[in-house]
Structures are given as structure tokens and as C-alpha cells.
Amino acid sequence: MSVLTLRLAGPLQSWGASARFTRRTTESAPTKSGVIGMLAAAAGIERGDDTELARLGALRYGVRIDQPGSRVRDFQTAHHPVTGKSMPLSERFYLADAVFVAALEGDRALLTELHAALRAPVYAPYLGRRSCPPALPIELGLHDGTTPLRQVLQDEPWQAAPWYRRQRRRDATVSLAVLREADEHEDHADVLRDQPLSFAADHRRHALRSIIGDTVEVPNPAAVPTRSAPRHDPFDALEEESARCS
Amino acid sequence: MNRIFLDVHALQTVPPSNLNRDDTGAPKTAVYGGVPRARVSSQAWKRATREYFGDENLLDPSELGVRTKKVAEVLAARITDLDSSLAEADALRLAAEVIETATGSKIEVPKRKASAAKDADDEPAPQSKYLMFLSARQLDGLARLAVDGASDIKAYLKDKDNKARAKEIADTRHSVDIALFGRMVADSADINVDAAVQVAHAISVHRVENESDYYTAVDDHNTDAEPGAGMIGTVDFNSATLYRYAALGVHQLANNLGQGLREDEPLTDPVRRAVEAFVHGFVASLPTGKINTFGHHTLPDAVIVKLRTTRPVSFVAAFEEPVRSEHSGGHVREASARLAEYIPDIERAYGDEETTRTWLLRVGPNTQKLAGLGTESANLTELVTSVGQAVAERLEKPA
């Protein structure tokens, strides 16, 4: 078993799990279907090729919230190009300024293939919505061998932006939320319908997926050692003064 | 597969303006690097780019598409052009049948219109439920088909070969704008086209707070006895130096277009024309929100185009730390300096390919630091032609 890690960072991202019609919401972390879809696109798997997709869907997924970002509401209008009449208004939600580390665990050969595909994708990756290109190359690394997903998410250095790390400079370590797929025998707290079964345009299908919420402690590279403040006693000066006077 | 990505980056300053507003009328914003930024949504700039194709005649109208619910009417007009003996109502009926077969979408008279027209004499025209995006060539093909089967259209389309031909017409010869920006038909998977272009939301390279302009207007017919304003109001605006970015999957565009639409032209010709139109249109177009209020007609100070055989790369992270203008005299100079440092850095870190090619178009001394990053073009036409030529060569002889 190997683990492929990805850095998902950019001004805007949007990861919908249940959004339909004119109100397009986002989860607070990348969904499995969003990330698997991105990898499938990079590998050139066409929409509707459910067999190929199933290989990717079988990967175990976990995501770490390195910088949660904030929610942006985008209001969109459209006009009929011929009549000029306005079309239904729509609301789209984005996560601004967020950074995530996503990890996928599974067959080494498949992950090696996906790692290469991200470097030379067939369809360019985007962060949940086509108008959200990633700010930096996505692939972080391929961890061969026996390190389990949870450990990899623990070991990966903190990917938050420098300005964000500086805000936490008093903390030598930070604790980051992790949402990872539950093992079959594990008790899970939460479920999300984001296990992709088909991306076929006319019948997208998703299954429920069990999720375990966790946290990991990660070192803060921007931490500055706290120095104890120098002792300050205003009455020292008074004592000096009175010693001189007497 | 031969991968060719074209990245277009631009720095563009807009004066006080409101190019793209939200439902409160304020210019759109986003937070990046922890500070508020001006934002222009991707769909606003995509629309501006598409309009530019037509307004500036960058592409022949036959290469463009029309997006409408009134497809039946549009097609009916073409049918009567082909065969003037057909009555208008018959042409409409033929058009509706052909479109239903070709796209799988229902074509019917909207309920509201049907009930409103109950008492009137003429029946309203049927429409599609969704906006349909069909190219001029697709419409021509469907019109031909309708005329061929005019005697008994239902029986004609029942025939397996004719049915397949109808579907094929709607799914090939996509127009350039569909091939670039995609088409979604909600109830038919067959004729969806995945966009070859990704346009990012443009964001300011610096911190921006929206401002509000309070205005009064005088009533010219007021007498001295009625002092005061005829009306008052506010207009929200901001001014910004924007980082704009778009990535074009050239191989995907070639796939969408279907190479070689005409027999007498080289296979790569339609792709080259589409790439040239896109680069030109994306660089030079401008969303027109409140343009008569603010007159924000500007052009980019700097344009960088990259042709890659690996993944596209956005340089937006160069501006995650907001640019400040206090010491450097203007955002463009500082933003250019940032890019000049960031681009070689990131390409070194992630292994730039030898096959990557870079073009540069820049204006004025503020963009001096960018010099040397790529082949400098004297003007936009030269940049566009040179990029188009390189794309054609890359398509014919993969790097």
C-alpha cells in the first residue's frame, strides 16, 4: 500500500456534495468525489467509464485542513443572448484562501500512474469548479511502502501560507483537523454522499461514505521561541534615587 | 497523448469601476492572503471574451454558435431558406421534430405562453427547456435533414440511419465558442461538450476596499423656490491592478473541434484559428459592467503566454502576500517585480520542461523587470500570430 499526497491551494475552491439547482454550496473540505474526479480527469478517464473510475474509487481517502479559509457567496446572473431577458439567478459558494492536504491510499502502481498524470494531465485539474485553478502544482509526493494514511497526514509538513503561519507563531505545534475514510470495522461518526460511482453526465451517482473526524499535531515552522519578558519593577528606580539622596 | 497547454497571464489596471457586481450592486470581492481583494468572476470575463469574438470579427460567423431556447424558430428560418415552398408553421413543426431526435431534448410550447395564447389566433412557437448552444454548421446540417424528410418527418426520423445522422450532426462540427467554453445540455448527455478553457476569477494583486460614490443630480427645471437635488444615490466601485489567468487545453480543443472541418485546409487550421481568437479575445476584452458610468477602458500592461507539454501553472501565489505601493510607485511595477522573481523560482522547483515556450507583451517602464522572461512581441497581433504558429507546429510535430 502506498499513499499519494496532494496540496489543494488557491484563491478559490468549491467542493459541493449535495448542491443542485441554483444554490451551489460547498463543503468545508474537499470531497472524495471532487478529488477522485480531478485525478480521473488528469488520467484521461472519460465520463461514463465507470469501470476505470471504480479503480480510483477504491482508494482510501483522507484530507487535512491546513488553512480553513472563509466562505464567499457569489451571486450570478445570466441574460438570454437573444431576448436580453434575465435567466434564473444563482448563488455559488466558494472557500476563499483555503489550503488542504489530501491523501489517497491504495495500490502502488495505480498511485504512481496518477502521480505522473498530475504532472501531464489530459484534462487540467481544478479545485472543485472549473473557474478555480490551483495556485501551485498539486502533487506533493508519493509515499511508498507501509506508512498508513493517518501517519502520512501526520508527517506531511504544514502547508498553510506564510502569513497564516505567522499568526500562530506563538505555537510550536498546531493541531489540524483530519477527515479520513473509516475502515470497515471502525466506528464512524459521520457519513457523506461523496463516494463516486459514476460521473456520466446523465446519471451521476454517489454512494454514502463513512468518515472519521480526527486531529493531528504538526510542527509550526514559523514558530518563534517565546522569551520570558525581562523583569521590570518601576520601584527599582525609586530605590536607586533614594539611595543617592540619603 | 500529446499534451499541449497554453497559459495566458495578464496584469491589468482598472481605474474606479464596477465591472462585475453582486446582488447589492457592490463590486465582487474575495479574501486572499488574509486581505480583501477585488474580484471579477470567470463567467463575466468569459462572456466578454465571447462577445469580443463577434464584435471584432475575430472569427467567421459560420464558426460561431447561437445559444437560445428558441432553437425551433432559428432552425425553422433556415429550413424555409432552403425550401421556400414550406409554410412557416410546417417549418416550425419539422424543426421541433428534428431537434428532439438530434438532441433528445423536449421541444414544446411553454405552458404559460400556451395558456396566454388560448384566445389568440396564432399559436406560440415551441421552445427547448434549456438554453441550447448550436453552431452555424450544426444548424445547417439539421435544416438539410429536415428538408430531406419533409414529406413525412416522423417516419423519416424513425429510420435508424436518419436518426443516427441527426444525432451525429448535433454532436460534431462544434463551433469555436462551444469548443472553448463548453456546452451543457441538462437532459442529454450525448451532446455535452466539456470546455477546453479554464478561466480563473481575476483578483487584485493588492488589498482593496470597496468605496462608495455619493452623487446628487440637479433638476434643470427647478425654480429658485425649490433648491436641492432632483435625486441622490450611491454607486459602489473600486480600482485595482488585476492578475488574470486562463489555461487552454489545446489537445482538448482539437478534440472538441474535430480536426479538419474542411477538406481544403490543413488539419491544424481550425485549432490555430481558435487559439488565436482566444488569446486575442481574452487579452483585449473587458466586462462592460457600468462602463458608461466609469469608462474603464484599459488594456493589460503585461501579458505572459506559456506553451507547455505538462500541466498548466497559475502564478497567482506570487500575489498571496498583497503588493503594497507606498514605496515602489504603483502596483504594476511591484507586481511585475514579483512575477519576474516568482516565475523562474517555481519553474525551477517543479522542473520546467525544455519544451516550454514563453511569449511576453509588455508596456512601459513599470514592467521592465519582466524583460527577458520570454520572447518579446512588439504588439498583440505579433504575439497572437506567433503563438498560433507555435501551436500548429506542436500539433503537427509533438515535442
Side-chain angles (χ1 to χ4, degrees):
Chain A
M1 290 295 222
S2 299
V3 178
L4 174 66
T5 48
L6 315 171
R7 171 188 40 219
L8 306 172
L12 296 172
Q13 331 195 5
S14 186
W15 305 95
S18 56
R20 319 190 83 181
F21 310 117
T22 58
R23 191 180 154 88
R24 301 297 178 121
T25 50
T26 175
E27 298 293 312
S28 51
T31 56
K32 182 174 183 181
S33 63
V35 172
I36 293 289
M38 183 176 76
L39 291 169
I45 297 172
E46 298 295 332
R47 286 184 190 283
D49 189 346
D50 299 348
T51 332
E52 274 295 302
L53 177 65
R55 287 171 67 214
L56 271 60
L59 296 167
R60 276 188 75 228
Y61 174 73
V63 61
R64 191 178 78 187
I65 301 174
D66 283 34
Q67 184 179 318
S70 56
R71 221 162 274 254
V72 170
R73 174 176 164 273
D74 188 55
F75 169 76
Q76 191 176 327
T77 61
H79 287 88
H80 194 288
V82 178
T83 63
K85 276 189 189 151
S86 57
M87 306 296 299
L89 306 176
S90 77
E91 275 181 306
R92 279 137 210 260
F93 290 82
Y94 294 88
L95 293 174
D97 232 354
V99 182
F100 304 99
V101 171
L104 295 134
E105 185 179 46
D107 175 52
R108 177 160 174 270
L110 174 61
L111 290 173
T112 311
E113 188 187 310
L114 294 175
H115 189 230
L118 283 175
R119 255 191 68 77
V122 175
Y123 301 109
Y126 49 85
L127 306 175
R129 197 168 284 150
R130 207 185 291 273
S131 59
C132 308
L136 290 158
I138 283 174
E139 71 278 9
L140 268 181
L142 184 58
H143 305 260
D144 280 338
T146 53
T147 324
L149 181 101
R150 187 181 189 285
Q151 191 60 39
V152 170
L153 283 175
Q154 163 90 63
D155 295 345
E156 199 64 70
W158 195 23
Q159 299 293 326
W163 67 270
Y164 189 80
R165 291 188 208 161
R166 277 196 301 274
Q167 288 186 339
R168 304 287 303 269
R169 64 183 172 274
R170 285 158 190 275
D171 309 320
T173 63
V174 289
S175 122
L176 305 177
V178 163
L179 300 167
R180 62 183 175 84
E181 210 160 309
D183 281 328
E184 274 171 30
H185 57 272
E186 263 180 316
D187 286 338
H188 56 267
D190 212 352
V191 287
L192 192 61
R193 190 172 283 283
D194 73 340
Q195 171 68 40
L197 298 177
S198 177
F199 287 129
D202 58 343
H203 63 106
R204 294 191 184 202
R205 279 181 301 128
H206 293 88
L208 287 171
R209 185 171 68 93
S210 323
I211 297 168
I212 292 184
D214 214 342
T215 54
V216 291
E217 287 287 319
V218 175
N220 180 3
V224 285
T226 46
R227 282 170 295 155
S228 49
R231 199 185 73 89
H232 175 65
D233 185 349
F235 290 99
D236 285 355
L238 283 177
E239 273 166 31
E240 275 169 37
E241 190 80 352
S242 57
R244 247 191 294 153
C245 288
S246 61
Chain B
M1 188 194 261
N2 178 24
R3 306 215 174 133
I4 309 170
F5 284 104
L6 198 69
D7 286 338
V8 186
H9 315 260
L11 288 176
Q12 180 165 1
T13 300
V14 285
S17 55
N18 190 345
L19 285 74
N20 181 214
R21 55 207 134 125
D22 67 16
D23 46 347
T24 68
K28 286 182 176 178
T29 55
V31 177
Y32 188 49
V35 306
R37 310 288 183 113
R39 173 171 67 96
V40 181
S41 72
S42 59
Q43 59 272 13
W45 224 299
K46 278 192 288 198
R47 182 187 155 91
T49 308
R50 263 209 311 263
E51 305 260 293
Y52 197 88
F53 290 165
D55 293 349
E56 300 294 316
N57 293 321
L58 290 189
L59 292 161
D60 191 75
S62 72
E63 292 175 293
L64 296 176
V66 52
R67 191 199 306 220
T68 176
K69 284 187 178 180
K70 300 182 177 175
V71 276
E73 281 169 75
V74 174
L75 184 56
R78 285 188 192 239
I79 292 172
T80 44
D81 280 352
L82 276 180
D83 184 350
S84 51
S85 69
L86 285 165
E88 218 169 291
D90 289 334
L92 255 183
R93 193 176 47 78
L94 288 175
E97 288 288 341
V98 167
I99 294 163
E100 286 201 350
T101 307
T103 66
S105 290
K106 278 250 171 305
I107 305 288
E108 51 198 8
V109 177
K111 276 202 190 91
R112 204 148 38 104
K113 283 204 177 153
S115 61
K118 235 181 228 160
D119 311 321
D121 289 340
D122 50 327
E123 200 182 325
Q127 300 187 352
S128 57
K129 239 166 122 184
Y130 305 92
L131 282 175
M132 256 191 210
F133 207 164
L134 292 169
S135 75
R137 287 185 194 142
Q138 288 167 337
L139 288 167
D140 285 341
L142 293 175
R144 183 80 259 162
L145 193 78
V147 170
D148 289 349
S151 54
D152 185 353
I153 193 74
K154 278 200 198 276
Y156 183 76
L157 291 172
K158 269 225 175 86
D159 181 79
K160 220 173 79 189
D161 289 343
N162 292 337
K163 195 173 175 181
R165 198 172 132 221
K167 282 188 187 252
E168 197 199 317
I169 291 170
D171 197 29
T172 49
R173 302 186 151 214
H174 299 304
S175 67
V176 171
D177 44 1
I178 294 170
L180 284 167
F181 298 113
R183 172 178 61 191
M184 296 296 279
V185 177
D187 59 352
S188 173
D190 288 333
I191 58 169
N192 279 348
V193 178
D194 264 329
V197 164
Q198 283 183 8
V199 176
H201 293 241
I203 61 163
S204 65
V205 301
H206 52 94
R207 179 190 194 102
V208 163
E209 312 274 2
N210 284 346
E211 295 177 66
S212 192
D213 180 42
Y214 170 80
Y215 66 85
T216 64
V218 175
D219 188 322
D220 286 345
H221 278 272
N222 270 5
T223 59
D224 289 346
E226 313 167 89
M231 79 173 282
I232 57 167
T234 54
V235 186
D236 293 333
F237 67 95
N238 61 32
S239 48
T241 295
L242 300 167
Y243 170 75
R244 298 171 49 207
Y245 171 70
L248 168 59
V250 177
H251 51 286
Q252 202 182 339
L253 176 69
N255 212 14
N256 283 355
L257 278 174
Q259 291 180 340
L261 291 175
R262 288 182 219 146
E263 276 161 22
D264 56 344
E265 66 185 7
L267 290 178
T268 52
D269 230 44
V271 185
R272 184 181 52 76
R273 276 204 307 275
V275 167
E276 288 183 357
F278 175 68
V279 174
H280 190 151
F282 180 69
V283 168
S285 67
L286 193 63
T288 51
K290 286 214 175 266
I291 200 153
N292 291 333
T293 309
F294 291 103
H296 54 259
H297 301 274
T298 64
L299 287 161
D301 278 349
V303 177
I304 300 169
V305 179
K306 292 249 174 197
L307 184 66
R308 299 178 183 280
T309 49
T310 52
R311 54 168 139 43
V313 182
S314 154
F315 301 139
V316 73
F319 307 112
E320 185 171 38
E321 185 183 327
V323 161
R324 281 172 238 277
S325 67
E326 293 108 75
H327 313 296
S328 60
H331 290 124
V332 171
R333 189 189 298 182
E334 178 62 20
S336 299
R338 287 275 185 89
L339 279 182
E341 203 174 318
Y342 182 81
I343 296 172
D345 257 11
I346 188 155
E347 292 188 340
R348 197 178 311 121
Y350 289 91
D352 189 26
E353 302 297 302
E354 277 173 28
T355 47
T356 300
R357 288 193 57 182
T358 309
W359 291 263
L360 183 65
L361 177 67
R362 58 178 197 88
V363 179
N366 282 335
T367 58
Q368 182 61 41
K369 288 239 165 100
L370 291 171
L373 278 187
T375 315
E376 291 218 21
S377 305
N379 54 49
L380 182 58
T381 313
E382 194 186 306
L383 173 90
V384 164
T385 319
S386 177
V387 169
Q389 198 181 339
V391 163
E393 281 164 20
R394 204 51 74 86
L395 276 170
E396 273 156 19
K397 221 170 2 148

